[in-house]
Amino acid sequence: MLDSFLVPTAIVALAEIGDKTQLLALILAARFRKPWPIIAGIVAATLANHAAAGAVGAWVSGFFSDAVLHWILAASFAATALWTLVPDKLDDEEANTARKFGPFLTTLIAFFLAEIGDKTQIATVMLAAQYPELWLVIIGTTVGMLIANVPVVLAGNFAAEKLPLALIRRLAASAFFILAIVAVYKAMQSSGWV
């Protein structure tokens, strides 16, 4: 049961470093210089986005046998591992939403939109399909987002410029590959091959 929280936390924390939402957190911190409303916006946006993603993952998992689901998860984790190796760039449009609203609403809207289709949202879908405790997965992925983004919001440019992003992307990709290997093993077990 603890795996439903710890694995999603670690995976998302690693995958989020250098991600476009982390760049967005940096821009919002520099623009508003009010960390607590930005952090509150990140929490609210991530909980809403990842709850929806987790619900999809839990729902989809009911349509497949264990073996088929694990093969799908293995392929998805492997694809996400490769995707993680590609550095993200922040779209100017996502960064420009900040002018109309205050720091909380701007962060809420911008983070929610930036997470749609992002690798951490896709990871949340896959993790919710793999682990039975949906709310622990959602809380874990949200905590992972906070682990990666709160230091950036609090420290601003200093933290983002000092991190070895290429190494962190490789570590995150390795974590996704490990999950893919575990899913392949579980698929082989469910198929009766092991």
Side-chain angles (χ1 to χ4, degrees), residues 1 4-6 13-14 31 36 41 53 76 79 84 87 93 103 107 117 124 140 143 156 158 177:
M1 185 164 122
S4 296
F5 172 76
L6 294 177
L14 279 173
R31 185 167 290 160
W36 300 114
S76 299
T84 300
E93 189 176 312
T107 304
T124 302
V143 169
F158 176 76
F177 274 125

Side-chain angles (χ1 to χ4, degrees), residues 21-22 24-30 33-40 42 107 111 146 148-157 159-160:
T21 46
Q22 191 178 48
L24 179 61
L26 183 63
I27 289 168
L28 293 168
R33 302 197 188 278
K34 294 182 179 179
W36 300 114
I38 293 169
I39 292 168
I42 292 170
T107 304
F111 257 75
L146 293 174
N149 288 307
V150 168
V152 171
V153 171
L154 294 176
N157 290 333

Side-chain angles (χ1 to χ4, degrees), residues 74 77-82 85 170 172-183:
F77 281 131
T80 303
L82 294 173
L85 293 172
R170 284 189 218 114
S174 298
F176 280 116
F177 274 125
I178 290 169
L179 286 173
I181 291 167
V182 169

Side-chain angles (χ1 to χ4, degrees), residues 160-171:
E161 291 173 1
K162 302 295 180 193
L163 293 172
L165 296 180
L167 173 63
I168 292 168
R169 275 194 301 278
R170 284 189 218 114
L171 289 172

